[in-house]
Amino acid sequence: MADVSISRRALLASAASAVGAHALWRVGHAQVPAQAPHTIVPPDPTKVPGAPLSELGRRSPFERPRRIPVGSAQGSSLAPLQDLYGIVTPADLHFERHHAGVPAIDPGRYKLLIHGMVERPTVFDLEALKRFPSVSHLYFLECSGNGGSSYRNIRPDLTPQLIDGLTSTSEWTGVPLATLFREVGVKPGAKWLLAEGADAAVMARSIPMDKAAEDALIAYGQNGEALRPEQGYPARLLLPGWEGNANVKWIRRIEIADRPFMTREETSKYTDPLPDGTARMFSFAMDAKSIITFPAYPVILPERGWFEISGIAWSGRGRISRVDVSTDAGRRWTPAELQSPVLPKCHTRFRCLWRWDGRETTLLSRATDETGYVQPTLEQLRSARGLGTSYHFNHIRAWRVRGDGTVMFGLEG
Ligand SMILES: Nc1nc2c(c(=O)[nH]1)N[C@H]1C(S)=C(S)[C@@H](COP(=O)(O)O)O[C@H]1N2
Ligand SMILES: [Mo]
């Protein structure tokens, strides 16, 4: 078990500050705002005319989902997983990871150069990219550092957002990279492409050409509108199911070659040291994973009885085929209901009814994907990868429920 020495009073205090002074507990997603909303609510809304039309919609002032920024220009912001329904992340809540802030790019002056081992080196402007037949798909995007806070020095007061907020799902629209490669004519022997961003970090990664043939996109659309600046406006590389870092934002250049380029981001960073002293390179696919987002810290269950356990599962290798949930610390496992659509390389919502008998227990979820891969335990992951690793933390997450209804992050068993 993780350290659960945190006192009930301290927990209540932090739970209260997390969800608003007037709400010591909440069920489902009904959330009491921290401050009174800046609108006047009439006693009877049928007795007064409503608000007028508007050019741009806004959230109800009663709803205040927020990302949590960690760092400033160089850093990341975490998506509020516990506040989301279904599988889509609203674009303004999509997690962010920038190595040197968000560049300001004029779409009228945007250019993407494709060169190297090609017949016709070409510069595409945004209009040219949009003239090609487009595709739209829902895909998750996840930073490979996601989940690091649940691997070492585990604290009980972690929320789903603080544990796994570096994953989000959007509907991405763009042109398949394969289409652009047919246009420029790739030369025989081409094996790798370099993708380079137009930000101050000039982020660059080598990608195997097979991924371009499979499903890679140059994306310019997100959830029905243009990409958000934070997501790479006006265009980014989207590599479905592959570690966030390789999905180069603000993409300005693709160079095709017969070998990887060995950039900083794939040599000194984004490699996985193994216990035998070697390091795993180019570990692109995000392994199957799941997390229960309700109930989770700082929720306090008000009484024994029925609750719907809910969460998300995803795999970079295809569809989620099942999610098993245990409400007794892993002794018995029950298949959760997978909410349709269950899409490849996309968040999948799972749900399962649970009758809490008021006793202390641990809730666990375990995802399996269509390749048969099963989400490992923390122990399995630690023995395969050691403690020095910084990426790909897809072990089973555990929520400890105490007799007083408090829920805290903990260890399995
Ligand atoms: N040009 C550029 N591309 C980038 C980055 C960056 O800093 N610069 N960050 C990468 C990392 S580490 C991740 S996890 C994803 C995050 O994408 P998002 O900010 O749209 O969520 O973008 C990747 N692409
Ligand atoms: Mo990342």
Side-chain angles (χ1 to χ4, degrees):
M1 228 359 264
D3 174 23
V4 290
S5 57
I6 183 168
S7 76
R8 179 174 158 87
R9 200 189 313 138
L11 192 72
L12 285 170
S14 59
S17 61
V19 300
H22 305 293
L24 287 183
W25 58 270
R26 67 193 179 109
V27 173
H29 301 269
Q31 187 169 337
V32 176
Q35 279 104 38
H38 302 290
T39 56
I40 293 157
V41 178
D44 180 353
T46 68
K47 297 292 183 276
V48 289
L53 306 169
S54 55
E55 288 189 326
L56 196 59
R58 276 190 294 163
R59 286 200 174 86
S60 160
F62 291 96
E63 302 294 327
R64 301 187 77 256
R66 288 291 185 272
R67 296 193 284 229
I68 298 176
V70 182
S72 53
Q74 185 182 348
S76 43
S77 73
L78 302 142
L81 300 185
Q82 65 284 339
D83 298 327
L84 304 179
Y85 304 106
I87 57 175
V88 174
T89 312
D92 60 358
L93 296 173
H94 192 289
F95 88 88
E96 304 165 86
R97 173 75 179 101
H98 318 306
H99 288 69
V102 181
I105 297 175
D106 176 350
R109 291 173 50 203
Y110 171 80
K111 287 185 171 44
L112 170 62
L113 164 67
I114 304 185
H115 69 139
M117 291 176 68
V118 300
E119 304 292 346
R120 294 170 293 281
T122 307
V123 173
F124 299 92
D125 62 18
L126 195 58
E127 260 174 58
L129 291 178
K130 289 183 179 173
R131 270 189 65 190
F132 289 102
S134 65
V135 295
S136 295
H137 292 288
L138 283 138
Y139 291 125
F140 79 82
L141 180 68
E142 182 182 20
C143 178
S144 49
N146 203 24
S149 63
S150 65
Y151 193 68
R152 284 180 295 263
N153 311 320
I154 296 169
R155 286 171 21 200
D157 58 342
L158 293 176
T159 62
Q161 180 168 18
L162 289 172
I163 297 162
D164 274 326
L166 296 178
T167 186
S168 295
T169 282
S170 294
E171 187 199 55
W172 304 99
T173 296
V175 50
L177 203 44
T179 303
L180 298 179
F181 284 174
R182 273 195 298 277
E183 189 72 11
V184 297
V186 173
K187 288 187 176 164
K191 290 262 163 16
W192 291 78
L193 65 101
L194 179 82
E196 181 188 88
D199 55 333
V202 196
M203 171 69 59
R205 286 292 304 260
S206 308
I207 312 295
M209 286 295 280
D210 291 350
K211 186 63 173 170
E214 192 191 347
D215 55 6
L217 298 178
I218 298 297
Y220 46 78
Q222 181 183 6
N223 295 345
E225 60 178 337
L227 287 185
R228 295 275 164 149
E230 305 95 295
Q231 264 69 61
Y233 181 84
R236 81 179 301 163
L237 182 61
L238 207 280
L239 303 172
W242 281 19
E243 67 178 2
N245 184 262
N247 292 250
V248 171
K249 300 189 277 191
W250 314 292
I251 189 163
R252 69 170 187 187
R253 187 168 77 89
I254 293 176
E255 183 175 345
I256 295 175
D258 55 2
R259 64 180 93 82
F261 290 75
M262 300 308 222
T263 71
R264 175 178 177 274
E265 306 299 332
E266 56 210 18
T267 51
S268 91
K269 305 283 176 198
Y270 298 98
T271 61
D272 310 309
L274 300 174
D276 67 1
T278 63
R280 191 171 71 155
M281 292 182 76
F282 301 117
S283 46
F284 290 119
M286 297 304 293
D287 302 309
K289 183 168 173 181
S290 67
I291 181 171
I292 291 170
T293 55
F294 180 88
Y297 179 82
V299 163
I300 299 175
L301 300 174
E303 57 189 14
R304 63 187 62 185
W306 288 103
F307 294 92
E308 185 185 64
I309 295 172
S310 175
I312 48 172
W314 62 101
S315 166
R317 295 200 173 81
R319 284 186 179 76
I320 287 295
S321 55
R322 62 187 291 160
V323 177
D324 294 292
V325 168
S326 174
T327 58
D328 59 6
R331 275 180 285 282
R332 283 167 303 172
W333 293 86
T334 315
E337 188 189 329
L338 301 186
Q339 180 179 294
S340 66
V342 177
L343 300 169
K345 307 175 184 178
C346 185
H347 287 165
T348 295
R349 174 69 54 180
F350 66 89
R351 293 177 304 193
C352 119
L353 277 175
W354 168 53
R355 188 175 194 166
W356 183 45
D357 60 11
R359 274 193 295 231
E360 179 155 331
T361 189
T362 299
L363 309 178
L364 308 167
S365 64
R366 184 180 65 198
T368 304
D369 72 18
E370 63 182 330
T371 71
Y373 177 94
V374 181
Q375 185 177 4
T377 63
L378 180 59
E379 206 180 288
Q380 286 169 334
L381 196 66
R382 279 184 177 164
S383 63
R385 301 257 300 283
L387 281 175
T389 195
S390 307
Y391 308 104
H392 300 284
F393 304 104
N394 69 315
H395 54 285
I396 290 173
R397 280 87 170 100
W399 296 103
R400 192 90 180 141
V401 180
R402 294 205 303 196
D404 59 6
T406 53
V407 181
M408 286 168 304
F409 190 63
L411 294 182
E412 305 146 38

